[in-house]
Amino acid sequence: MESRKGYIWRNACLLLAGVLHVLGSRGPLDLEIARKLTHPDREDIVLMEWGYDREVQEIAIEIQTPLASSLALGFGHSKSINKTDFVVAGWNEHNETYFYDAHTEDEWPPVKDKSQDYVLLNLSRNDTHTIMRVWRKWFTCDRHDQEIENDTVRVTVVIGDGEQLELTDHNTFQKSIFFLEVLCHPKYPEVMIPYDFIIKDFPIPEADTTYACTFLPMPRVTKKHHIVRYEIIEDPVSIGIVHHILIYFCANNTILTSEVGDCYGQDTRFSQCLSATLGWAVGGEPFDYPDDTGISIGTDKDPQYVRIEIHYSNFENKEGLIDNSGIRIHYTPELRPRDSATLMSGVFTFPMQFIPPGCEEFRNYGICDTRLMAQALNETIPDLTVKAYLLHGHLTARSIRVMHYRNGTLIGSLGEDKKYDFSFQQIRNLPAEITVKMGDVIVVECTSNTMDREGVTFGGPSSLNEMCIGFLFYYPLLPIAACWSYIDVHYIAEAIGLERADSIMDAILNINGFEWDDESRATAQKAVMTVTHLAMAESREAEDKSYPLVDHVSVHWLKMDFFTWLTMHLVHMLKMHLVPGGIE
């Protein structure tokens, strides 16, 4: 007998389907967005194009594959084809076409769905290629269909020569896609000047993780210009090894060096420059600033130098690689109305963020209280307008959300991906500008999976450590580098039954050696939900200033290299609680 919940859900879906049917039927959708699906062992590609209508929630997708008589287009959340939504099409031995909506459970081939929710718009082939175009609603109320939301989707294309389509490595193409990408259709100025930030001829160490830093000059301009676009310069030898590249703007009293060093090592010169203004991470693409904004350079207040940070993840310990990767900017003298900036928010990573082993889902939070920005600058500041975002986590991250609170109430999202893919970190434009008023609170939530790990995963720079960060692209420019928080680790340790440690570092070591079980994991999660946060706002011009250390930070803790870096920052702090339903 059908449950009341199931009855309500089924009827709601039927009603929604009827409404969408009436709202739909607006004719063909323009295929404005395109991506290529490549294969490591093949020279040919699959070209994928799509277009969508946000108002009526419809999408049309076309794939052009190498010549095939059968093909399957799948949508899932991992490289595995388990629980993937497929459409299957082709020609049988009598040259008759077939097409059906299907899914996989645990094995190949896909099984036909009871509810057929895809519409075939075109299936054709020529001497070299096969083309299929399909249409569907974002939400079909079929549990076997992948919902189209603001999340990453792992697209799988399988091609073959017979009606019994086989799954092999050679005939399978995969790529992570964000279907609801917001195109900005940039209007480029007549004059655009390229300029490269590169660490030249850098010998990549064989170590798993390397953070290489140095200082590079800005373009020498005598009047104000705007950066309107930037992109990765990716050396072919280091593809798959370069994890991210950040360009930090430096205050003009920064102590400079032309040496290349460890960003988080003993040399404190590389801990200067706090404002991460330009950034690329694995899977990212070129970024165009909206037509009314740009990054200011060339004025007395703008930096003359930047710090470039390149994170290398050489997990295969390859030898003899010489890298010339970096960031290329495009700047113009044709000024735009507003100066843009980037705000780093989320969890102050090192090393208070932690995830116990054996967790299917474990959530961490970072808090940005915008009241601290005015305190950091000692002046009244305007509201912020957010136009784009970049979510950043590492290998355990499965979901990242940037939640927007006002007066303790959740009012919306500044960016989210409930199916986060470490290998696909893309700057995404928001469908509409969002105003963050001074006094609002931004909470970055990261959900991790550590089922494959035996020890605690701590926050840290390695890809095997974890991070939980949201970069917000906004205007007007404020001299604020970051707004984030860290938790009281002593509270977490005591919650799971450990004795009070003498220092934060000792508490972390005790947590690291703890024997975890289901009960302690649940207790730790509850503690993370109720623990006190120390929220911070960092000035981007903090190199020449300092702040008094809070009383519970021990000397032992500050002996760690990273916290030597920390003491150089101007940080304004506020204790806060994250409680169910809002901010306390």
Side-chain angles (χ1 to χ4, degrees):
M1 186 173 181
E2 185 176 28
S3 67
R4 176 174 175 80
K5 182 177 179 182
Y7 174 81
I8 294 172
W9 171 247
R10 179 173 60 83
N11 281 276
C13 283
L14 290 173
L15 176 61
L16 177 62
V19 171
L20 291 178
H21 178 74
V22 173
L23 291 176
S25 61
R26 290 195 168 193
L29 297 171
D30 293 333
L31 307 183
E32 295 186 295
I33 313 172
R35 292 291 184 276
K36 295 177 181 178
L37 281 68
T38 60
H39 192 288
D41 300 322
R42 300 178 62 142
E43 294 184 358
D44 48 16
I45 64 167
V46 171
L47 176 64
M48 182 174 182
E49 299 179 283
W50 72 93
Y52 65 88
D53 188 313
R54 190 175 293 274
E55 181 179 351
V56 299
Q57 298 186 340
E58 300 173 350
I59 188 169
I61 304 168
E62 180 176 290
I63 57 171
Q64 176 180 291
T65 76
L67 184 61
S69 60
S70 58
L71 65 162
L73 170 62
F75 310 107
H77 296 308
S78 68
K79 292 182 179 180
S80 169
I81 55 90
N82 186 32
K83 299 188 184 304
T84 296
D85 175 20
F86 275 99
V87 285
V88 181
W91 292 264
N92 62 22
E93 59 183 351
H94 304 295
N95 205 34
E96 300 168 333
T97 61
Y98 60 87
F99 173 81
Y100 56 91
D101 181 2
H103 69 279
T104 55
E105 287 291 349
D106 298 314
E107 58 184 20
W108 190 263
V111 178
K112 189 174 182 179
D113 289 359
K114 292 181 180 179
S115 176
Q116 295 292 296
D117 300 299
Y118 288 79
V119 175
L120 180 64
L121 301 179
N122 176 44
L123 181 62
S124 60
R125 55 185 172 177
N126 54 34
D127 292 340
T128 58
H129 291 87
T130 297
I131 299 172
M132 178 178 69
R133 182 184 295 195
V134 299
W135 172 97
R136 58 160 286 185
K137 302 165 188 173
W138 291 6
F139 307 100
T140 66
C141 296
D142 182 347
R143 68 182 181 89
H144 295 305
D145 289 342
Q146 170 71 52
E147 294 181 341
I148 306 297
E149 298 183 282
N150 287 307
D151 304 323
T152 295
V153 175
R154 187 73 175 182
V155 174
T156 299
V157 175
V158 184
I159 60 175
D161 295 326
E163 189 173 352
Q164 299 300 319
L165 187 57
E166 296 182 1
L167 179 70
T168 69
D169 290 339
H170 187 69
N171 71 348
T172 303
F173 297 77
Q174 288 190 319
K175 186 176 180 67
S176 288
I177 297 288
F178 178 53
F179 278 121
L180 301 188
E181 181 176 340
V182 178
L183 298 179
C184 65
H185 302 292
K187 299 177 182 177
Y188 293 123
E190 292 184 8
V191 178
M192 285 181 64
I193 306 166
Y195 185 86
D196 294 346
F197 296 112
I198 298 175
I199 299 182
K200 295 182 179 179
D201 299 325
F202 178 72
I204 301 176
E206 298 174 33
D208 291 349
T209 299
T210 300
Y211 274 77
C213 275
T214 192
F215 298 93
L216 298 172
M218 290 289 282
R220 295 303 183 219
V221 291
T222 57
K223 64 178 183 178
K224 182 173 180 175
H225 288 63
H226 268 143
I227 299 172
V228 296
R229 175 183 171 88
Y230 70 88
E231 59 200 338
I232 177 72
I233 303 170
E234 193 168 17
D235 193 318
V237 305
S238 58
I239 291 176
I241 296 177
V242 175
H243 169 270
H244 75 242
I245 304 176
L246 291 174
I247 302 294
Y248 293 84
F249 279 18
C250 295
N252 289 330
N253 62 346
T254 300
I255 301 172
L256 302 173
T257 176
S258 60
E259 299 173 4
V260 179
D262 183 353
C263 302
Y264 302 103
Q266 298 287 347
D267 192 337
T268 58
R269 291 177 298 179
F270 298 118
S271 64
Q272 303 174 98
C273 311
L274 310 179
S275 184
T277 304
L278 311 175
W280 172 91
V282 58
E285 297 172 344
F287 179 65
D288 293 290
Y289 286 90
D291 293 337
D292 59 345
T293 68
I295 298 293
S296 175
I297 62 173
T299 75
D300 292 340
K301 295 182 178 180
D302 293 325
Q304 298 177 17
Y305 278 82
V306 304
R307 175 169 67 89
I308 182 172
E309 169 185 303
I310 303 184
H311 175 190
Y312 297 95
S313 293
N314 188 6
F315 290 128
E316 296 181 9
N317 308 118
K318 295 181 178 179
E319 303 177 13
L321 299 180
I322 304 297
D323 182 53
N324 284 276
S325 296
I327 295 284
R328 174 172 294 142
I329 63 172
H330 300 266
Y331 64 97
T332 178
E334 301 172 33
L335 298 182
R336 296 180 167 187
R338 302 180 178 94
D339 293 337
S340 186
T342 306
L343 178 69
M344 183 162 53
S345 60
V347 176
F348 185 82
T349 305
F350 310 89
M352 282 73 77
Q353 181 186 2
F354 82 98
I355 308 109
C359 293
E360 189 166 351
E361 290 186 348
F362 192 90
R363 289 175 289 172
N364 273 288
Y365 299 88
I367 298 173
C368 166
D369 185 334
T370 58
R371 291 176 298 173
L372 296 176
M373 297 182 184
Q375 293 179 28
L377 301 177
N378 196 28
E379 62 184 56
T380 302
I381 59 177
D383 296 338
L384 308 181
T385 299
V386 180
K387 308 197 77 163
Y389 63 94
L390 170 64
L391 307 176
H392 182 65
H394 287 175
L395 293 171
T396 76
R398 297 295 182 269
S399 171
I400 303 178
R401 297 194 299 161
V402 185
M403 298 175 287
H404 185 193
Y405 286 83
R406 183 169 296 157
N407 299 322
T409 300
L410 178 64
I411 63 171
S413 168
L414 296 168
E416 63 180 291
D417 192 335
K418 297 188 294 296
K419 306 298 180 184
Y420 176 81
D421 181 352
F422 170 78
S423 64
F424 181 52
Q425 300 184 44
Q426 176 190 45
I427 300 175
R428 298 175 181 177
N429 295 306
L430 289 165
E433 297 179 346
I434 298 177
T435 299
V436 176
K437 295 182 175 295
M438 290 302 102
D440 289 356
V441 173
I442 299 166
V443 177
V444 182
E445 174 198 79
C446 294
T447 303
S448 290
N449 181 299
T450 56
M451 295 299 290
D452 61 344
R453 302 211 172 180
E454 297 181 357
V456 176
T457 299
F458 287 99
S462 169
S463 297
L464 297 176
N465 297 132
E466 198 46 79
M467 289 188 176
C468 180
I469 295 174
F471 294 90
L472 301 178
F473 296 75
Y474 74 94
Y475 72 83
L477 166 67
L478 292 177
I480 294 291
C483 182
W484 45 8
S485 72
Y486 66 86
I487 61 176
D488 180 357
V489 179
H490 291 295
Y491 178 85
I492 305 294
E494 291 176 11
I496 60 176
L498 296 171
E499 293 184 2
R500 179 83 179 184
D502 293 333
S503 69
I504 290 178
M505 192 61 206
D506 286 339
I508 291 170
L509 291 173
N510 291 341
I511 290 173
N512 188 50
F514 185 70
E515 293 292 333
W516 294 90
D517 56 24
D518 289 343
E519 182 179 354
S520 59
R521 281 186 279 265
T523 300
Q525 179 66 93
K526 183 178 179 180
V528 167
M529 291 290 294
T530 57
V531 66
T532 297
H533 283 246
L534 203 61
M536 306 178 290
E538 297 180 321
S539 167
R540 65 186 290 189
E541 298 179 350
E543 285 82 359
D544 61 343
K545 302 175 184 177
S546 61
Y547 70 95
L549 295 177
V550 291
D551 54 12
H552 67 269
V553 179
S554 70
V555 175
H556 179 77
W557 184 37
L558 290 173
K559 288 181 180 178
M560 298 179 65
D561 293 335
F562 179 79
F563 294 103
T564 303
W565 174 86
L566 172 62
T567 59
M568 299 174 63
H569 295 10
L570 172 65
V571 181
H572 289 253
M573 299 182 175
L574 178 70
K575 290 187 177 181
M576 302 182 66
H577 289 277
L578 180 69
V579 297
I583 300 296
E584 184 180 84

